[in-house]
Amino acid sequence: MTGKNDMMGERITLCPLCEADAGAVADLEQTIFGMPWSQKTVADSIACAAETGSSEKVACAALGAFVDGVLSGYLFGAAVAGEGELHRIAVAPDFRQQKIGSALMEEFLRWVSRHGAGGTWLEVRAGNHAAIALYRKYGFLETGRRRHYYQNPTEDALMFVYH
């Protein structure tokens, strides 16, 4: 999972996250999410991606987006039993509206396809309109709602699937 794209005069590099990125990702988690992952969870997710190969029944993805060497966004997901799972996608506030989320999503959808996923699912806060727009842009369809699923603040989760 690597690549470069020209965006608004800047260079974005997509590449697998490594152990050294865990602190920066955990810092962004604290900034972005009401229920942030701990640095240990981030590090474990990065390690899972580093340890799994294309022949595994469960493969993990840990993808970073870097602009001029600065972590600008990241994505965590998995391919399990023929299905993709998007666990986390985030773009740093200073880098939003620069197509970084789109670049991450496109690379992830290619990745799950290479891992034999017939579909991909995710959950998102009902009030996260930017993320919902991104998912719909890529053909995800809303399939359900989990009431009061999220905390900090309490909010419903919308469930989406992509085929």
Side-chain angles (χ1 to χ4, degrees), residues 1-156:
M1 282 193 296
T2 61
K4 290 188 179 207
N5 299 321
D6 281 319
M7 295 181 6
M8 303 177 73
E10 296 179 302
R11 299 292 289 168
I12 178 174
T13 303
L14 301 178
C15 59
L17 292 167
C18 66
E19 184 179 337
D21 299 317
V25 171
D27 288 346
L28 280 177
E29 280 282 317
Q30 296 295 321
T31 300
I32 294 170
F33 292 104
M35 295 173 57
W37 284 4
S38 68
Q39 186 164 340
K40 181 179 181 344
T41 299
V42 169
D44 288 348
S45 296
I46 291 170
C48 177
E51 293 168 2
T52 58
S54 60
S55 65
E56 301 290 327
K57 290 184 180 184
V58 176
C60 301
L63 179 64
F66 297 84
V67 174
D68 297 329
V70 176
L71 180 69
S72 58
Y74 57 90
L75 180 148
F76 291 101
V80 180
E83 292 186 344
E85 302 173 0
L86 179 62
H87 297 156
R88 239 3 178 214
I89 185 171
V91 176
D94 291 346
F95 292 95
R96 292 183 180 159
Q97 302 298 313
Q98 297 181 40
K99 302 189 185 300
I100 292 168
S102 293
L104 287 164
M105 181 62 73
E106 289 170 12
E107 184 61 27
F108 179 67
L109 291 175
R110 283 190 294 271
W111 182 88
V112 293
S113 178
R114 287 192 308 269
H115 284 81
T120 299
W121 62 270
L122 61 87
E123 296 166 339
V124 61
R125 282 183 180 269
N128 190 342
H129 303 293
I132 292 167
L134 176 70
Y135 303 143
R136 287 188 171 142
K137 172 183 171 181
Y138 287 96
F140 282 82
L141 301 173
E142 185 177 337
T143 61
R145 177 183 290 258
R146 291 185 174 161
R147 301 263 179 224
H148 310 295
Y149 180 77
Y150 290 105
Q151 304 301 313
N152 261 355
T154 300
E155 193 168 4
D156 293 353

